């Protein structure tokens, strides 16, 4: 195969589980407003890492088990965090 004047030896092997958009979105759906409000109330508007009280515009939702590691976006896998704690955690698993 030759493109743009050079040889391109790259071949892509697609896995069956990533072939459709629907399959790629599993676990990445946005929780409903009601679910988000239950999480905010359950966690008492507090960051679950540093325990700081959060305002409405500071609330972030963190996946306990990251989506990249197989976690879901269901209520039991989400918790409140502040911006700094959520960025520090990145995609690590911290119970």
């Amino acid at each position: 195969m030759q493109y743009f004047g050079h040889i391109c030896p790259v071949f892509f092997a697609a896995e069956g589980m990533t072939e459709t958009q629907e399959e790629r979105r599993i676990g990445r759906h946005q929780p409903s407003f009601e679910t988000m409000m239950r999480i905010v109330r359950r966690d008492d508007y507090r960051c679950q890492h540093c325990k700081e009280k959060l305002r409405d515009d500071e609330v972030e939702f963190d996946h306990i088990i990251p989506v990249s590691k197989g976690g879901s976006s269901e209520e039991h896998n989400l918790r409140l965090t502040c911006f700094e704690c959520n960025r520090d955690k990145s995609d690590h698993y911290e119970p």
Side-chain angles (χ1 to χ4, degrees), residues 9-69:
V10 177
F11 295 94
F12 294 97
E15 296 178 16
M17 61 187 249
T18 61
E19 282 300 299
T20 64
Q21 269 190 330
E22 184 178 320
E23 292 295 322
R24 286 190 296 258
R25 289 184 181 167
I26 290 178
R28 291 189 176 263
H29 73 277
Q30 180 74 20
S32 69
F33 179 76
E34 292 81 16
T35 301
M36 289 190 285
M37 289 308 297
R38 280 195 303 271
I39 294 167
V40 167
R41 289 184 192 118
R42 176 194 73 195
D43 293 347
D44 192 32
Y45 279 92
R46 293 195 179 274
C47 173
Q48 298 302 296
H49 287 278
C50 67
K51 304 302 181 196
E52 185 176 324
K53 193 80 165 173
L54 303 172
R55 296 187 322 253
D56 286 343
D57 62 335
E58 296 175 328
V59 168
E60 293 206 8
F61 294 92
D62 172 46
H63 290 85
I64 298 169
I65 301 171
V67 173
S68 64
K69 307 270 193 263

Coordinates of all heavy atoms in Angstrom, one line a residue, residues 9-69:
P9 N 2.9 0.4 6.2 CA 2.7 -1.0 6.6 C 1.7 -1.2 7.7 O 1.8 -2.2 8.4 CB 4.1 -1.4 7.0 CG 4.7 -0.2 7.6 CD 4.1 1.0 6.8
V10 N 0.8 -0.2 8.0 CA -0.1 -0.3 9.1 C -1.4 -1.0 8.7 O -2.0 -0.7 7.7 CB -0.4 1.1 9.7 CG1 -1.4 1.0 10.8 CG2 0.9 1.8 10.1
F11 N -1.8 -2.0 9.5 CA -3.0 -2.7 9.3 C -3.8 -2.6 10.6 O -3.2 -2.7 11.7 CB -2.8 -4.1 8.9 CG -2.1 -4.3 7.6 CD1 -0.7 -4.4 7.6 CD2 -2.8 -4.3 6.5 CE1 -0.1 -4.5 6.4 CE2 -2.2 -4.4 5.2 CZ -0.8 -4.5 5.2
F12 N -5.1 -2.4 10.5 CA -5.9 -2.3 11.7 C -6.8 -3.6 11.9 O -7.4 -4.0 10.9 CB -6.9 -1.1 11.6 CG -6.2 0.2 11.7 CD1 -5.9 0.8 10.5 CD2 -5.8 0.7 12.8 CE1 -5.2 2.0 10.5 CE2 -5.1 1.9 12.9 CZ -4.8 2.6 11.7
A13 N -6.7 -4.2 13.1 CA -7.5 -5.3 13.4 C -8.6 -4.9 14.4 O -8.3 -4.6 15.5 CB -6.7 -6.4 14.0
A14 N -9.8 -4.8 14.0 CA -10.9 -4.4 14.8 C -11.5 -5.5 15.7 O -11.6 -6.6 15.1 CB -12.0 -3.8 14.0
E15 N -11.7 -5.3 16.9 CA -12.3 -6.3 17.8 C -13.8 -6.2 17.7 O -14.3 -5.1 17.5 CB -11.9 -6.1 19.2 CG -10.4 -6.3 19.4 CD -9.9 -6.0 20.8 OE1 -10.8 -6.0 21.7 OE2 -8.7 -5.8 21.1
G16 N -14.5 -7.3 17.8 CA -15.9 -7.3 17.7 C -16.7 -6.4 18.7 O -17.7 -5.8 18.4
M17 N -16.1 -6.3 19.9 CA -16.8 -5.5 20.9 C -16.8 -4.0 20.7 O -17.5 -3.3 21.3 CB -16.3 -5.9 22.3 CG -14.9 -5.6 22.5 SD -14.3 -6.1 24.1 CE -14.1 -4.6 24.9
T18 N -15.9 -3.6 19.8 CA -15.8 -2.1 19.6 C -16.3 -1.7 18.2 O -16.1 -0.6 17.8 CB -14.4 -1.6 19.7 OG1 -13.6 -2.3 18.7 CG2 -13.8 -1.9 21.1
E19 N -17.0 -2.6 17.6 CA -17.4 -2.4 16.2 C -18.6 -1.4 16.1 O -18.7 -0.8 15.0 CB -17.8 -3.7 15.5 CG -16.6 -4.5 15.0 CD -15.7 -3.7 14.1 OE1 -16.2 -3.4 13.0 OE2 -14.6 -3.4 14.4
T20 N -19.5 -1.3 17.1 CA -20.6 -0.4 16.9 C -20.5 0.7 18.0 O -19.9 0.6 19.0 CB -21.9 -1.2 17.1 OG1 -22.0 -1.6 18.5 CG2 -22.1 -2.3 16.2
Q21 N -21.1 1.9 17.6 CA -21.1 3.0 18.6 C -21.8 2.6 19.9 O -21.4 3.0 21.0 CB -21.9 4.2 18.0 CG -20.9 5.1 17.2 CD -21.7 6.4 16.9 OE1 -22.9 6.4 16.7 NE2 -20.9 7.5 16.8
E22 N -22.9 1.8 19.8 CA -23.6 1.4 21.0 C -22.7 0.6 21.9 O -22.7 0.9 23.1 CB -24.8 0.6 20.6 CG -25.7 0.2 21.8 CD -26.9 -0.6 21.3 OE1 -27.5 -0.2 20.3 OE2 -27.2 -1.5 22.0
E23 N -21.9 -0.3 21.4 CA -21.0 -1.1 22.2 C -19.9 -0.2 22.9 O -19.5 -0.5 24.0 CB -20.4 -2.2 21.4 CG -21.4 -3.3 21.0 CD -22.0 -4.0 22.2 OE1 -21.3 -4.3 23.1 OE2 -23.2 -4.3 22.1
R24 N -19.4 0.8 22.1 CA -18.4 1.7 22.7 C -18.9 2.5 23.8 O -18.1 3.0 24.6 CB -17.8 2.5 21.6 CG -16.9 1.8 20.6 CD -16.2 2.7 19.7 NE -17.1 3.4 18.8 CZ -17.3 3.1 17.5 NH1 -16.6 2.1 17.0 NH2 -18.1 3.8 16.8
R25 N -20.2 2.8 23.8 CA -20.8 3.7 24.8 C -21.2 3.0 26.1 O -21.6 3.6 27.1 CB -22.0 4.4 24.2 CG -21.6 5.4 23.2 CD -22.8 6.2 22.8 NE -22.4 7.1 21.8 CZ -23.2 7.8 21.0 NH1 -24.5 7.6 21.1 NH2 -22.7 8.6 20.1
I26 N -21.1 1.7 26.2 CA -21.5 0.9 27.4 C -20.7 1.5 28.5 O -19.5 1.5 28.5 CB -21.3 -0.6 27.2 CG1 -22.3 -1.1 26.2 CG2 -21.4 -1.3 28.5 CD1 -22.2 -2.6 25.9
G27 N -21.3 1.8 29.6 CA -20.7 2.3 30.8 C -20.4 3.8 30.8 O -19.9 4.4 31.7
R28 N -20.6 4.5 29.6 CA -20.3 5.9 29.6 C -21.5 6.8 29.5 O -21.4 8.0 29.2 CB -19.4 6.2 28.3 CG -18.1 5.6 28.4 CD -17.2 6.1 27.3 NE -15.9 5.6 27.4 CZ -14.9 6.3 27.9 NH1 -15.1 7.5 28.4 NH2 -13.7 5.7 28.0
H29 N -22.7 6.3 29.8 CA -23.9 7.1 29.7 C -23.9 8.1 30.9 O -23.3 7.9 31.9 CB -25.1 6.2 29.7 CG -25.4 5.7 31.1 ND1 -24.9 4.5 31.5 CD2 -26.2 6.1 32.1 CE1 -25.3 4.2 32.8 NE2 -26.1 5.2 33.1
Q30 N -24.5 9.3 30.6 CA -24.6 10.3 31.6 C -25.7 9.9 32.6 O -26.8 9.6 32.1 CB -24.9 11.6 30.9 CG -25.1 12.8 31.8 CD -23.8 13.3 32.4 OE1 -22.7 13.0 31.8 NE2 -23.8 14.0 33.5
P31 N -25.5 9.9 33.9 CA -26.5 9.6 34.8 C -27.7 10.6 34.7 O -27.4 11.8 34.4 CB -25.9 9.7 36.2 CG -24.4 9.9 36.0 CD -24.2 10.2 34.5
S32 N -28.9 10.2 35.1 CA -30.0 11.1 35.0 C -29.9 12.2 36.1 O -29.1 12.0 37.1 CB -31.3 10.4 35.2 OG -31.4 9.9 36.5
F33 N -30.6 13.3 36.0 CA -30.6 14.3 37.0 C -31.0 13.8 38.4 O -30.4 14.1 39.4 CB -31.5 15.5 36.6 CG -31.6 16.6 37.6 CD1 -30.6 17.5 37.7 CD2 -32.7 16.7 38.4 CE1 -30.6 18.5 38.6 CE2 -32.7 17.7 39.4 CZ -31.7 18.6 39.4
E34 N -32.0 12.9 38.4 CA -32.4 12.3 39.7 C -31.3 11.5 40.3 O -31.1 11.6 41.5 CB -33.7 11.5 39.5 CG -34.9 12.2 39.1 CD -35.0 12.6 37.6 OE1 -34.2 12.0 36.8 OE2 -35.8 13.4 37.2
T35 N -30.6 10.8 39.5 CA -29.5 10.0 40.0 C -28.4 10.9 40.6 O -27.8 10.6 41.7 CB -28.9 9.1 38.9 OG1 -29.9 8.2 38.5 CG2 -27.7 8.2 39.5
M36 N -28.0 11.9 39.8 CA -27.0 12.9 40.3 C -27.4 13.5 41.6 O -26.6 13.7 42.5 CB -26.7 13.9 39.2 CG -26.0 13.4 38.0 SD -25.4 14.6 36.9 CE -26.9 15.1 36.1
M37 N -28.7 13.9 41.8 CA -29.2 14.5 43.0 C -29.1 13.5 44.2 O -28.8 13.9 45.3 CB -30.6 15.0 42.8 CG -30.7 16.3 42.0 SD -29.5 17.6 42.5 CE -30.1 18.0 44.1
R38 N -29.4 12.2 43.9 CA -29.3 11.2 45.0 C -27.8 11.1 45.4 O -27.6 11.0 46.6 CB -29.8 9.9 44.5 CG -31.3 9.7 44.5 CD -31.8 8.3 44.4 NE -31.3 7.7 43.2 CZ -31.9 7.7 42.0 NH1 -33.1 8.3 41.9 NH2 -31.5 7.0 41.0
I39 N -26.9 11.1 44.5 CA -25.5 11.0 44.9 C -25.0 12.3 45.7 O -24.3 12.1 46.7 CB -24.6 10.9 43.6 CG1 -24.9 9.5 42.9 CG2 -23.1 11.0 43.9 CD1 -24.4 9.4 41.5
V40 N -25.5 13.5 45.2 CA -25.1 14.7 46.0 C -25.7 14.6 47.4 O -24.9 14.9 48.3 CB -25.7 15.9 45.2 CG1 -25.6 17.2 46.1 CG2 -24.9 16.1 43.9
R41 N -26.9 14.2 47.5 CA -27.5 14.1 48.9 C -26.8 13.0 49.7 O -26.5 13.2 50.9 CB -29.0 13.9 48.8 CG -29.7 15.1 48.3 CD -31.2 14.8 48.3 NE -31.9 15.8 47.6 CZ -32.6 15.6 46.5 NH1 -32.8 14.4 46.0 NH2 -33.2 16.6 45.8
R42 N -26.6 11.9 49.1 CA -25.9 10.8 49.8 C -24.5 11.2 50.3 O -24.2 10.9 51.5 CB -25.8 9.6 48.8 CG -25.0 8.4 49.4 CD -24.6 7.4 48.3 NE -23.5 8.0 47.6 CZ -23.1 7.5 46.4 NH1 -23.7 6.5 45.8 NH2 -22.1 8.0 45.8
D43 N -23.8 11.9 49.5 CA -22.4 12.3 49.9 C -22.4 13.7 50.6 O -21.4 14.2 50.9 CB -21.5 12.4 48.7 CG -21.3 11.0 48.1 OD1 -21.6 10.0 48.7 OD2 -20.8 11.0 46.9
D44 N -23.6 14.3 50.9 CA -23.8 15.5 51.7 C -23.0 16.7 51.2 O -22.4 17.4 51.9 CB -23.4 15.2 53.2 CG -23.8 16.3 54.1 OD1 -24.8 17.0 53.8 OD2 -23.1 16.5 55.1
Y45 N -22.9 16.8 49.8 CA -22.2 17.9 49.2 C -20.8 18.0 49.6 O -20.2 19.1 49.7 CB -22.9 19.3 49.5 CG -24.1 19.6 48.6 CD1 -25.4 19.2 49.0 CD2 -23.9 20.2 47.4 CE1 -26.5 19.5 48.3 CE2 -25.0 20.5 46.6 CZ -26.3 20.1 47.1 OH -27.4 20.4 46.3
R46 N -20.1 16.9 49.9 CA -18.7 16.8 50.4 C -17.9 16.0 49.4 O -18.3 14.9 49.0 CB -18.6 16.3 51.8 CG -19.2 17.1 52.8 CD -18.8 16.7 54.2 NE -19.4 17.6 55.2 CZ -18.9 18.8 55.6 NH1 -17.8 19.2 55.0 NH2 -19.5 19.5 56.5
C47 N -16.7 16.5 49.2 CA -15.7 15.7 48.4 C -15.4 14.5 49.2 O -15.1 14.6 50.4 CB -14.4 16.6 48.2 SG -13.1 15.6 47.4
Q48 N -15.5 13.4 48.6 CA -15.2 12.1 49.3 C -13.8 11.8 49.5 O -13.4 10.8 50.1 CB -15.9 11.0 48.5 CG -17.4 11.1 48.4 CD -18.0 11.2 49.8 OE1 -18.0 10.3 50.6 NE2 -18.6 12.4 50.2
H49 N -12.9 12.7 49.0 CA -11.4 12.5 49.3 C -11.0 13.4 50.4 O -10.5 13.0 51.4 CB -10.6 12.8 48.0 CG -10.7 11.7 47.0 ND1 -10.0 10.5 47.0 CD2 -11.5 11.6 45.9 CE1 -10.3 9.8 46.0 NE2 -11.2 10.4 45.3
C50 N -11.2 14.7 50.2 CA -10.7 15.7 51.2 C -11.7 16.2 52.1 O -11.4 17.0 53.1 CB -10.1 16.9 50.4 SG -11.2 17.9 49.5
K51 N -13.0 15.8 51.9 CA -14.1 16.1 52.8 C -14.5 17.5 52.8 O -15.2 18.0 53.7 CB -13.9 15.6 54.3 CG -13.5 14.1 54.4 CD -14.6 13.3 53.8 CE -14.3 11.8 54.0 NZ -15.1 10.9 53.2
E52 N -14.0 18.3 51.9 CA -14.4 19.7 51.8 C -15.8 19.9 51.3 O -16.3 19.2 50.4 CB -13.4 20.4 50.8 CG -13.7 21.9 50.8 CD -12.6 22.6 49.9 OE1 -11.5 22.1 49.9 OE2 -13.0 23.5 49.2
K53 N -16.6 20.8 51.9 CA -18.0 21.1 51.5 C -17.9 21.8 50.1 O -17.1 22.7 49.9 CB -18.6 22.0 52.5 CG -20.1 22.1 52.4 CD -20.8 21.0 53.0 CE -22.2 21.3 53.2 NZ -23.0 20.1 53.6
L54 N -18.8 21.3 49.2 CA -18.8 21.8 47.8 C -20.0 22.6 47.5 O -21.1 22.3 48.0 CB -18.7 20.6 46.8 CG -17.5 19.7 47.0 CD1 -17.7 18.5 46.1 CD2 -16.2 20.4 46.6
R55 N -19.8 23.7 46.7 CA -21.0 24.5 46.2 C -21.5 23.7 44.9 O -20.8 22.9 44.4 CB -20.5 25.9 45.8 CG -20.1 26.7 47.0 CD -19.8 28.1 46.6 NE -19.2 28.3 45.3 CZ -18.0 28.7 45.0 NH1 -17.1 28.9 46.0 NH2 -17.5 28.8 43.8
D56 N -22.7 24.1 44.5 CA -23.3 23.5 43.3 C -22.4 23.5 42.1 O -22.3 22.6 41.3 CB -24.6 24.1 43.0 CG -25.7 23.8 43.9 OD1 -25.5 22.8 44.7 OD2 -26.7 24.5 44.0
D57 N -21.7 24.7 41.9 CA -20.8 24.8 40.7 C -19.5 24.1 40.9 O -18.7 24.1 39.9 CB -20.7 26.3 40.3 CG -20.0 27.1 41.4 OD1 -20.0 26.7 42.6 OD2 -19.4 28.1 41.1
E58 N -19.2 23.5 42.0 CA -17.9 22.8 42.3 C -18.0 21.3 42.2 O -17.0 20.6 42.2 CB -17.3 23.2 43.6 CG -17.0 24.7 43.8 CD -16.6 25.0 45.2 OE1 -17.1 24.4 46.1 OE2 -15.7 25.9 45.3
V59 N -19.3 20.8 42.2 CA -19.5 19.4 42.2 C -19.0 18.7 41.0 O -19.3 19.1 39.8 CB -21.0 19.1 42.4 CG1 -21.3 17.7 42.2 CG2 -21.5 19.6 43.8
E60 N -18.2 17.6 41.2 CA -17.8 16.8 40.1 C -18.1 15.3 40.5 O -18.0 15.0 41.7 CB -16.3 16.9 39.8 CG -15.9 18.3 39.2 CD -14.7 18.2 38.4 OE1 -14.2 17.1 38.1 OE2 -14.3 19.3 38.0
F61 N -18.4 14.5 39.5 CA -18.7 13.1 39.8 C -17.5 12.3 39.4 O -16.9 12.4 38.3 CB -19.9 12.6 39.0 CG -21.2 13.3 39.5 CD1 -21.6 14.5 38.9 CD2 -21.9 12.8 40.6 CE1 -22.7 15.2 39.4 CE2 -23.0 13.5 41.1 CZ -23.4 14.7 40.5
D62 N -17.1 11.4 40.3 CA -15.9 10.5 40.1 C -16.3 9.1 40.0 O -17.2 8.7 40.8 CB -14.9 10.8 41.2 CG -13.8 9.8 41.2 OD1 -13.2 9.6 40.1 OD2 -13.4 9.3 42.2
H63 N -15.8 8.3 39.1 CA -16.0 6.9 39.0 C -15.1 6.2 40.0 O -13.8 6.4 39.9 CB -15.7 6.4 37.6 CG -16.8 6.8 36.6 ND1 -16.7 8.0 36.0 CD2 -17.9 6.2 36.2 CE1 -17.7 8.1 35.1 NE2 -18.4 7.0 35.3
I64 N -15.6 5.5 41.0 CA -14.8 4.7 41.9 C -13.9 3.8 41.2 O -12.7 3.8 41.3 CB -15.6 4.0 43.0 CG1 -16.4 5.1 43.8 CG2 -14.8 3.2 43.9 CD1 -17.5 4.5 44.6
I65 N -14.5 2.9 40.3 CA -13.7 2.1 39.4 C -13.8 2.8 38.1 O -14.9 2.9 37.5 CB -14.3 0.7 39.3 CG1 -14.3 0.0 40.7 CG2 -13.5 -0.2 38.3 CD1 -15.1 -1.3 40.7
P66 N -12.7 3.3 37.6 CA -12.7 4.1 36.3 C -13.3 3.3 35.1 O -13.2 2.1 35.1 CB -11.2 4.4 36.0 CG -10.6 4.2 37.4 CD -11.3 3.2 38.1
V67 N -14.0 4.0 34.3 CA -14.6 3.4 33.1 C -13.5 2.7 32.3 O -13.7 1.6 31.7 CB -15.3 4.5 32.2 CG1 -15.7 3.9 30.9 CG2 -16.4 5.1 33.0
S68 N -12.3 3.3 32.2 CA -11.2 2.6 31.5 C -10.7 1.3 32.1 O -10.1 0.5 31.4 CB -10.0 3.6 31.4 OG -9.4 3.8 32.7
K69 N -11.1 1.1 33.3 CA -10.8 -0.2 34.0 C -12.0 -1.1 34.1 O -12.0 -2.1 34.9 CB -10.2 0.1 35.4 CG -9.0 1.1 35.4 CD -7.7 0.4 35.3 CE -6.6 1.3 35.6 NZ -6.0 1.9 34.5

